Each structure stands twice: as structure tokens, then as C-alpha cells.
């Protein structure tokens, strides 16, 4: 069941799930969806009052998760266009060639292709290949560091995600978005540390925030950098 409330100038949409429980719970997931877990037969007016009471917290949680939503500007993948790699800007240089290859040289990302309309596909695949090696390199010392908490991820995986920079599955697999290759190293470390903290604390509780701050005291700086750089 779906409903909403108006809170100031904002509208808060939420999904209501009824079940045999005694108390009403409100959660905000990484997709910024608001889920109301409510006892059966709870009046809608009462649910709305509870949502209004927690509206400030809901908006704060949604804003927090927004930083994990990639907002990459649409690119045309033509010569002269700027693209980011590890936080630095490079210009795309397309060259017609019998071979299909991408490499970066100086301040250029050079794309060799027999068909220029294949440039996007080649560049995205190049980012993914680079991400697989680079993320593993960056993650290894962090994974070793977290062993003091008796945790270790089941694996590090690369996957395109429209709404997340990273995620940690219930089975302990850490998944990273290859778009992170466009960000500085510290931003990548921040996302990896964030997901490693989820091996210990599954929700974004104060204990989670405290652990993240302990392992990366300046994480807010890199969170903001990631949000603004790739917006």
C-alpha cells in the first residue's frame, strides 16, 4: 500500500507493509524508499502522524543515501570531450584504426576503433577493466586492516549500478561501481571502508558511523568530494 505526506515544501512517499507485529517501524533503504512496517489494521491517519513525526530523520537519511547515487553527466564520447580518471581530467582522442583499443597517455584517453560509434562501449569496458585491477589494489590494505575485527569480505566484484557506488551483500560480497574509477583514490577508499563497516554493522546506526569515523576520520570530506565531483 502506497501513501504520502506533505512536509513543508517536500513530499514524502512511503510504502506500508502490514504484518503480525506489535510496533510500527520506519526504515529508509539505499534507494531512498521509505518503508513502513506496521501492525495489521493500523489506521492510515495514525501511520501518517508517525511519518510526520519522523519526517526530519527520513529526509536526513535520504540525503545521506543520495551521496551514493551516481549522477554522471551524459557524455557523447567524441574527440575533445573531457573524462575523469582517478580524479583527473583527460581529453578523449578518437582515432580510426583497424584495432580496437583504449589507453591513456599524457592528458589524453586515446580510443582506437574502426567505428567511432563504438567509442562509448570501448571506453566503458576500459573503465571496468581498470577498475578490476585498481580497486583490488586499493582494497587489499583496507581488508587487512579490518581483519582486527575478525571480518573479511567473501570477494570484491565490479558491477554497473545506477543507484549505488557500492554495496555489501548479506553473504559478505562487496560490489563496487566501475564509475568510481573517475574519482580520486581517497573517494574510492571511502566507499570501500563504508562497505567493510557493513560487514560489522549492517544498518547505518550510530555504531556504524562511529566505526567509519574511527577507520577514516575525514570520510565526510571524501563523501562530499565524491558527491560534487561526479554530479
Amino acid at each position: 500500500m502506497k501513501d504520502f505526506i506533505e512536509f513543508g515544501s517536500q513530499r514524502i512517499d512511503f510504502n506500508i507493509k502490514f504484518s503480525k507485529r506489535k510496533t510500527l517501524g520506519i526504515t529508509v533503504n539505499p534507494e531512498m524508499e521509505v518503508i513502513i512496517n506496521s501492525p495489521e489494521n493500523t489506521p492510515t491517519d495514525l501511520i501518517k502522524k508517525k511519518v510526520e513525526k519522523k519526517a526530519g530523520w527520513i529526509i536526513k537519511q535520504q540525503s545521506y543515501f543520495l551521496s551514493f547515487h551516481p549522477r554522471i553527466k551524459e557524455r557523447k564520447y567524441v574527440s575533445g570531450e573531457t573524462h575523469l580518471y582517478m580524479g583527473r581530467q583527460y581529453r578523449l582522442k578518437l582515432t580510426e584504426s583497424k584495432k580496437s583499443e583504449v589507453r591513456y597517455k599524457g592528458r589524453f584517453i586515446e580510443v582506437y576503433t574502426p567505428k567511432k560509434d563504438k567509442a562509448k562501449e570501448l571506453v566503458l569496458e576500459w573503465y571496468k577493466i581498470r577498475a578490476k585491477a585498481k580497486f583490488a589494489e586499493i582494497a587489499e590494505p583496507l581488508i587487512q586492516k579490518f581483519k582486527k575485527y575478525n571480518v573479511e569480505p567473501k570477494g570484491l566484484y565490479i558491477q554497473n549500478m545506477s543507484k549505488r557506488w557500492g554495496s555489501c551483500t548479506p553473504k559478505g560480497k562487496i560490489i563496487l561501481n566501475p564509475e568510481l574509477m573517475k574519482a580520486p583514490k581517497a573517494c574510492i577508499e571511502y566507499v570501500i571502508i563504508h562497505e567493510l563497516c557493513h560487514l560489522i554493522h549492517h544498518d547505518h546506526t550510530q555504531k556504524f558511523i562511529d566505526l567509519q569515523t574511527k577507520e577514516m576520520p575525514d570520510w565526510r570530506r571524501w563523501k562530499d568530494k565524491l558527491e560534487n565531483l561526479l554530479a
Side-chain angles (χ1 to χ4, degrees):
M1 177 180 170
K2 295 183 178 181
D3 211 327
F4 69 93
I5 64 164
E6 299 287 347
F7 183 72
S9 61
Q10 297 192 52
R11 168 173 163 151
I12 298 177
D13 293 283
F14 54 88
N15 292 318
I16 305 172
K17 295 182 178 180
F18 293 102
S19 61
K20 293 180 179 179
R21 54 181 291 153
K22 295 181 179 180
T23 59
L24 186 146
I26 300 176
T27 59
V28 181
N29 65 25
E31 281 70 43
M32 300 194 302
E33 297 171 331
V34 182
I35 311 296
I36 312 300
N37 293 297
S38 175
E40 294 176 335
N41 302 317
T42 303
T44 303
D45 289 346
L46 180 59
I47 292 174
K48 285 190 172 185
K49 285 181 181 179
K50 291 283 187 179
V51 174
E52 286 174 358
K53 188 176 180 180
K54 298 283 287 184
W57 175 83
I58 290 169
I59 292 169
K60 184 179 179 181
Q61 287 295 100
Q62 289 178 324
S63 296
Y64 176 79
F65 285 126
L66 183 61
S67 66
F68 279 79
H69 287 215
R71 294 176 286 165
I72 309 300
K73 292 179 181 177
E74 192 64 34
R75 294 289 190 262
K76 295 181 180 179
Y77 296 88
V78 295
S79 286
E81 188 176 56
T82 59
H83 286 253
L84 289 166
Y85 176 74
M86 293 293 291
R88 299 181 67 188
Q89 285 194 339
Y90 292 82
R91 288 197 176 276
L92 213 59
K93 184 178 180 181
L94 270 63
T95 302
E96 288 193 16
S97 172
K98 291 182 180 179
K99 61 182 179 181
S100 294
E101 184 182 3
V102 179
R103 62 190 181 196
Y104 71 102
K105 183 179 180 181
R107 298 312 298 268
F108 291 92
I109 295 177
E110 300 177 341
V111 183
Y112 297 88
T113 175
K115 295 182 180 180
K116 290 189 175 182
D117 61 358
K118 296 291 185 180
K120 179 178 180 179
E121 180 182 329
L122 289 169
V123 171
L124 293 180
E125 183 60 26
W126 177 77
Y127 271 115
K128 190 174 288 188
I129 292 170
R130 298 293 302 179
K132 187 174 183 180
K134 200 68 181 177
F135 291 171
E137 176 188 316
I138 294 171
E140 183 55 30
L142 301 175
I143 291 171
Q144 292 300 320
K145 192 177 180 182
F146 267 74
K147 284 185 178 179
K148 64 190 175 188
Y149 300 112
N150 297 316
V151 295
E152 186 175 358
K154 297 298 182 183
L156 196 68
Y157 300 86
I158 310 300
Q159 181 180 312
N160 290 315
M161 294 179 280
S162 62
K163 294 185 176 182
R164 297 192 191 186
W165 290 118
S167 68
C168 181
T169 71
K171 293 184 178 181
K173 295 179 181 179
I174 290 179
I175 303 171
L176 299 173
N177 192 328
E179 289 285 350
L180 271 173
M181 278 306 301
K182 298 178 180 180
K185 180 182 177 182
C187 291
I188 300 170
E189 288 176 330
Y190 157 62
V191 175
I192 293 172
I193 288 171
H194 182 98
E195 301 309 333
L196 286 170
C197 287
H198 275 312
L199 294 174
I200 303 166
H201 302 293
H202 302 300
D203 297 319
H204 295 90
T205 59
Q206 189 57 49
K207 287 184 178 180
F208 172 90
I209 299 297
D210 290 344
L211 177 61
Q212 184 171 257
T213 302
K214 178 182 177 182
E215 294 302 328
M216 192 177 201
D218 59 347
W219 67 268
R220 288 180 178 85
R221 173 189 174 190
W222 299 110
K223 169 184 175 291
D224 292 341
K225 180 79 172 178
L226 180 61
E227 185 174 355
N228 295 321
L229 180 70
L230 302 183

